[in-house]
Amino acid sequence: MTSTAPAPHAGDVAADTAVLRALRRIRGPQTQRNREFWLLLFAVVVAGTALTLVQLGALGRIDPMILLIGGGLAVLVFALHIVLRFVASDADPFVLPIATLLTGVGIAEIYRLDIAAHRVGFDAYSNKQLMWMAISVIGAIALVILLRNYRVLYRFTYLSGLTGIVLLILPFIPGLGVDDANADVWINIAGLGIQPGELAKIFLAIFFAGYLVRTRESLSSVGKRFAGITWPRMRELGPVIVVWLISLAIIVAQHDLGTGVLIFGMFIVMLYVATGKTSWVLIGVAGVVVGVAIVSQFLTYVQNRFNTWINAFNPDLMEDQSYQLTQGIFGLAHGGLLGTGLGQGRPQITPVAESDFIITSLGEEIGLIGLFALLCLYMVFVSRGLRIGVAGQDDFGKLLAVGVSFTIGLQVFIMVGGVTRVIPLTGLTTPFLAAGGSSLIANWLIVGLLLRISDGVRRQPRVVIG
């Protein structure tokens, strides 16, 4: 007998396959997300314990209000985790818990400094930081939901570059810039201070990634070989010189040494990943040295930073220029190996201890061991970001993941090196830990971006040779 049943339509088969694939992701065991859940729970418990210890150490009692607010933020973080289960089930399981733990510990230390300074209400930096964290996590959730395919950012390469430049020059627009700031990096919107350069680094990373994908062949062309290294030809130095000049312009115009070095360093590392030529790294290091040497001859504030770095313990400088730096170093020495305990040190003696010197504040109260633990978390975060980039098969995602991850690592090195007198002090903030809404939002957007890229990388079909 011949069957008279109608043949299945191609569209119906595709729809059934899509439904089955979605059900499999929801019902099936999600190893990555399960691992992330337990790590996230651990991070929330550690952050809540830090807040409790701060209260017991500084107040001698427990205030349930701050714990209630912290619990609300924990709900937001777990909401991001649930979203990942449905729309990005293959995302990296370590990025979100590490960001949560670092942000929570930072809020605990900022809250401890508020107690010492008797700041309450909206004047308290910890309350502002809690608000900014809520906005940041919501922004990360929106990014994960809306950016279904990170490769679409490749289409907006030049628009992203233009947006990054516009964000950098916003502080110079009359009515937006903050006149009494030490550096021209702040704008004032509705009474809130915002640092647009923090967001600019994300847009510039997108621009650099897209631009290098388009031009990598010409930048990888063979040049002259000297001292065992193949050096690029002169005409290939054009992009590096342009970014170098932009970085110098940031240092000169905005009095922001850290952002200039950060942007140039990010470009050089992405250029190295795109071409695989060690000569670009050497050229980049030489560019930084030459650029800083040039601006130090003309800019007084750069000269003062180097003078403070070299002669920090000069009695003539300790009462004014190097007071902040030396107090931070004394705080680290006071904490020693194990620290004084959360809420039991005196980190408030150091000026701007909640932002620029949050590392020394934590180092005093959790000690060298605790500080090393935080640095290890940063190391794992950056290594996971680099791993996401290396595992990707498309060049744009690889460069973007490496760029934003390296930016976090370089920013941590610049800040920790500055407050410990390894390198001159700059005006950057420590990612996730320091008080400041712009930095926190930018860093959590990087978290969302890495989660999206890692999910896309794991879903890419693998090419098997042989």
Side-chain angles (χ1 to χ4, degrees):
M1 291 180 61
T2 303
S3 175
T4 59
H9 192 269
D12 297 335
V13 174
D16 292 342
T17 304
V19 171
L20 290 174
R21 191 183 301 115
L23 290 174
R24 192 180 298 113
R25 285 202 303 269
I26 295 174
R27 296 178 180 177
Q30 297 185 347
T31 305
Q32 300 294 333
R33 301 280 65 80
N34 294 337
R35 182 181 302 167
E36 180 185 75
F37 172 81
W38 293 110
L39 291 174
L40 195 58
L41 182 63
F42 174 77
V44 170
V45 169
V46 171
T49 303
L51 279 172
T52 304
L53 291 175
V54 163
Q55 291 182 338
L56 293 175
L59 298 175
R61 57 182 175 83
I62 296 179
D63 182 3
M65 182 55 66
I66 188 71
L67 297 178
L68 182 63
I69 297 175
L73 293 178
V75 171
L76 277 177
V77 174
F78 277 103
L80 175 54
H81 166 76
I82 294 173
V83 168
L84 291 175
R85 283 186 175 270
F86 285 91
V87 302
S89 59
D90 292 324
D92 188 271
F94 295 94
V95 171
L96 177 58
I98 292 175
T100 302
L101 181 53
L102 289 172
T103 306
V105 171
I107 290 175
E109 186 61 25
I110 296 169
Y111 176 55
R112 185 265 174 277
L113 292 166
D114 284 336
I115 294 174
H118 305 289
R119 290 188 293 257
V120 295
F122 200 68
D123 292 332
Y125 290 110
S126 57
N127 290 336
K128 295 179 182 178
Q129 193 77 348
L130 288 167
M131 178 195 71
W132 285 120
M133 182 182 175
I135 296 174
S136 302
V137 177
I138 292 173
I141 292 174
L143 179 64
V144 170
I145 294 175
L146 298 177
L147 188 65
R148 291 303 182 98
N149 186 356
Y150 67 88
R151 299 174 190 84
V152 74
L153 297 175
Y154 181 71
R155 304 176 187 173
F156 305 100
T157 295
Y158 295 102
L159 180 61
S160 298
L162 178 62
T163 303
I165 297 297
V166 170
L167 288 171
L168 289 175
I169 65 176
L170 279 181
F172 297 104
I173 297 178
L176 284 179
V178 179
D179 297 330
D180 57 349
N182 295 329
D184 296 323
V185 296
W186 294 92
I187 61 175
N188 193 327
I189 298 179
L192 293 176
I194 299 175
Q195 195 170 350
E198 290 287 343
L199 297 174
K201 65 186 182 184
I202 300 178
F203 287 98
L204 290 176
I206 297 172
F207 167 68
F208 291 155
Y211 173 78
L212 291 173
V213 168
R214 289 175 167 88
T215 61
R216 63 178 301 174
E217 291 186 5
S218 61
L219 294 173
S220 302
S221 59
V222 179
K224 293 183 178 181
R225 189 169 182 82
F226 175 74
I229 299 175
T230 303
W231 299 89
R233 294 173 294 187
M234 289 300 298
R235 62 174 177 266
E236 298 165 358
L237 294 176
V240 178
I241 294 175
V242 170
V243 177
W244 183 71
L245 291 175
I246 292 175
S247 301
L248 285 183
I250 293 172
I251 297 173
V252 173
Q254 294 189 334
H255 290 186
D256 190 0
L257 180 63
T259 300
V261 173
L262 188 69
I263 290 175
F264 185 67
M266 175 175 63
F267 177 72
I268 292 298
V269 167
M270 295 174 72
L271 181 57
Y272 169 72
V273 174
T275 63
K277 297 175 69 172
T278 309
S279 55
W280 287 120
V281 178
L282 300 178
I283 292 172
V285 173
V288 172
V289 174
V290 172
V292 172
I294 292 174
V295 297
S296 63
Q297 300 298 317
F298 302 100
L299 299 180
T300 304
Y301 93 96
V302 177
Q303 296 173 358
N304 291 338
R305 288 189 183 276
F306 274 88
N307 188 33
T308 301
W309 172 48
I310 297 172
N311 304 304
F313 292 97
N314 187 327
D316 296 332
L317 298 178
M318 288 180 64
E319 295 183 0
D320 183 17
Q321 294 184 20
S322 65
Y323 177 79
Q324 183 185 34
L325 178 59
T326 54
Q327 290 302 313
I329 294 175
F330 289 148
L332 288 173
H334 183 220
L337 192 63
L338 299 177
T340 61
L342 287 172
Q344 297 183 359
R346 293 187 296 170
Q348 68 275 9
I349 297 177
T350 305
V352 202
E354 69 282 343
S355 57
D356 291 0
F357 277 72
I358 189 71
I359 286 292
T360 62
S361 301
L362 284 165
E364 180 178 354
E365 298 201 331
I366 65 177
L368 187 62
I369 294 178
L371 207 56
F372 275 1
L374 294 179
L375 294 178
C376 286
L377 288 175
Y378 280 118
M379 182 180 66
V380 174
F381 184 93
V382 175
S383 66
R384 297 302 295 186
L386 296 178
R387 183 178 182 273
I388 291 168
V390 172
Q393 294 183 351
D394 68 297
D395 294 333
F396 176 75
K398 178 184 298 184
L399 292 174
L400 184 56
V402 169
V404 295
S405 302
F406 176 79
T407 301
I408 295 291
L410 181 58
Q411 195 164 339
V412 172
F413 169 76
I414 291 174
M415 280 310 302
V416 176
V419 300
T420 55
R421 204 169 161 240
V422 175
I423 59 176
L425 190 64
T426 65
L428 293 175
T429 57
T430 308
F432 300 110
L433 288 177
S438 307
S439 175
L440 199 61
I441 291 175
N443 294 324
W444 273 91
L445 289 179
I446 289 176
V447 169
L449 198 57
L450 288 176
L451 290 172
R452 256 298 160 209
I453 295 175
S454 62
D455 179 68
V457 165
R458 288 179 177 272
R459 291 176 185 272
Q460 290 176 358
R462 298 296 177 183
V463 178
V464 181
I465 300 177

